[in-house]
Amino acid sequence: MPGRIKGPALFLAQFAGDEPPFNSLESIVGWAASLGYKGVQIPTFDARLFDLDKAAQSETYCQEIQGICADAGVEITELSTHLQGQLVAVNPAYDIAFDAFAPKSLQGNSTGRTQWATEQLKKAAKVSRRLGLDTSVSFTGSLAFPFLYPWPQRPAGLIDEAFAELARRWRPILDVYEEYGVDVGFEIHPGEDVFDGATFEMFLEGLDHHNRCRINYDPSHFLLQQLDYLAFIDIYHERICAFHVKDAEFNPDGRQGVYSGYQPWISRAGRFRSLGDGQVDFAGIFSRLATHGYDSWAVLEWECCLKSPEQGAKEGAPFISRHIIDVTDKAFDDFAGGDTDAGRIKAMLGTT
């Protein structure tokens, strides 16, 4: 049956900084609330806002976090482990780039980095339950993505082995999430091995359709791939547990298309935009999600190559609010068909 989406909510990762009000959880959630946000998605990789290790050790600290958010008038929607999830699986081609996401003591140590990331994710499962959360969001990481375009031809079995290894790394993590009753909504994202529906199915198959393997739906990445993001909801709605509201535009020309020619964001054919400035059909998305009964949060993930984050955040809350559908419990003309009198029904059919 139709569901009412909750929101608006804000993913705090893009706004965290060293200056007030972005340098502490108390000040940033107060700022978010002042803009009209009712929920916040908290990154677990930025100690200025949240200390995951401390939260795993201390229920008191978790209660303090809940109190800070409640005092501001916002709920915690999910914990984000995007960066730790990325480090669960890193192809050696990306070692140097992704070392920046790991503690300095583990940089240059790919095995230690993966072990650390795995433990971080398990802690996030425990902490999510302490905070009363049923959902978290993350990345899968990538082993196969450097081989995306098949030239030279990929050796037979390379992709199968990459996804088998990805599943081997994630299964014990997801088993911990099962223990705590928390879903992992993977953001399906280019750069990850799971970047569209086909790759999600490969991952899910490798995990024997693990109950906690879910989707954080983000249409911006699908528009830039030219994927039918509305049909995606119809196909995978039973696995969608989280929703990033993020806009994008795709304007190919005679010089570049989907791959965007290594250009900076401002010059790419495909660009992320603030809500309402891109091409994503959010009216269609909110309608489709509501139709399939999605009743969790709509969370703004802000990224834009033109607009300031402050303006994007200010405009984002009313944009999401306008798109949330107050679902009805009956169709507009239900009164006409509400009579269940058997005699009248038979008369209408000519069977009396």
Side-chain angles (χ1 to χ4, degrees), residues 29-305:
V29 296
W31 168 77
S34 73
L35 298 178
Y37 290 99
K38 299 178 181 179
V40 290
Q41 188 177 93
I42 299 179
T44 61
F45 39 82
D46 192 327
R48 290 173 297 190
L49 305 184
F50 185 80
D51 188 326
L52 179 60
D53 293 330
K54 187 174 181 180
Q57 296 170 357
S58 171
E59 289 191 27
T60 300
Y61 176 74
C62 291
Q63 292 169 357
E64 291 173 357
I65 295 296
Q66 289 175 309
I68 289 170
C69 293
D71 288 346
V74 298
E75 296 182 43
I76 303 172
T77 66
E78 299 95 6
L79 296 181
S80 159
T81 56
H82 283 79
L83 299 192
Q84 298 98 318
Q86 181 71 66
L87 297 184
V88 168
V90 177
N91 186 286
Y94 297 142
D95 264 342
I96 295 175
F98 286 137
D99 252 355
F101 295 165
K104 288 187 177 181
S105 62
L106 293 173
Q107 292 176 7
N109 178 357
S110 61
T111 300
R113 184 183 60 198
T114 299
Q115 292 172 344
W116 172 82
T118 298
E119 291 307 309
Q120 285 278 293
L121 282 152
K122 292 177 179 178
K123 288 179 181 179
K126 177 181 180 180
V127 173
S128 291
R129 179 46 53 215
R130 280 184 170 176
L131 294 172
L133 304 175
D134 297 327
T135 303
S136 66
V137 291
S138 197
F139 279 149
T140 63
S142 64
L143 299 171
F145 199 78
F147 305 100
L148 174 67
Y149 199 82
W151 175 255
Q153 291 298 316
R154 295 184 291 254
L158 184 147
I159 298 301
D160 291 341
E161 174 56 25
F163 275 85
E165 177 62 22
L166 194 67
R168 283 192 289 268
R169 296 187 188 192
W170 273 103
R171 186 187 297 275
I173 298 171
L174 291 172
D175 286 346
V176 173
Y177 279 80
E178 177 67 31
E179 177 185 346
Y180 285 105
V182 179
D183 291 333
V184 180
F186 291 103
E187 185 169 347
I188 297 181
H189 186 296
E192 312 304 310
D193 280 347
V194 178
F195 60 86
D196 60 10
T199 51
F200 176 74
E201 290 178 17
M202 294 166 65
F203 184 48
L204 192 60
E205 183 69 22
L207 291 165
D208 296 322
H209 295 262
H210 200 292
N211 183 50
R212 296 300 168 180
C213 179
R214 302 281 169 163
I215 294 170
N216 176 26
Y217 177 78
D218 184 334
S220 66
H221 304 297
F222 296 154
L223 184 139
L224 297 188
Q225 295 179 67
Q226 295 295 279
L227 185 152
D228 187 337
Y229 50 83
L230 295 179
F232 184 96
I233 297 172
D234 293 334
I235 297 169
Y236 301 108
H237 61 89
E238 292 182 349
R239 288 277 172 176
I240 295 174
C241 68
F243 173 25
H244 270 176
V245 190
K246 183 176 170 184
D247 211 344
E249 63 183 358
F250 181 61
N251 300 303
D253 58 25
R255 289 187 174 87
Q256 55 168 294
V258 170
Y259 300 120
S260 291
Y262 294 115
Q263 298 304 296
W265 276 111
I266 193 70
S267 303
R268 293 186 185 187
R271 312 189 299 182
F272 296 127
R273 299 299 309 277
S274 272
L275 288 185
D277 294 344
Q279 299 166 349
V280 174
D281 177 10
F282 285 106
I285 288 170
F286 276 80
S287 294
R288 202 71 63 97
L289 285 172
T291 296
H292 287 296
Y294 178 80
D295 58 3
S296 193
W297 289 91
V299 180
L300 169 62
E301 183 187 19
W302 179 88
E303 289 180 2
C304 185
C305 58

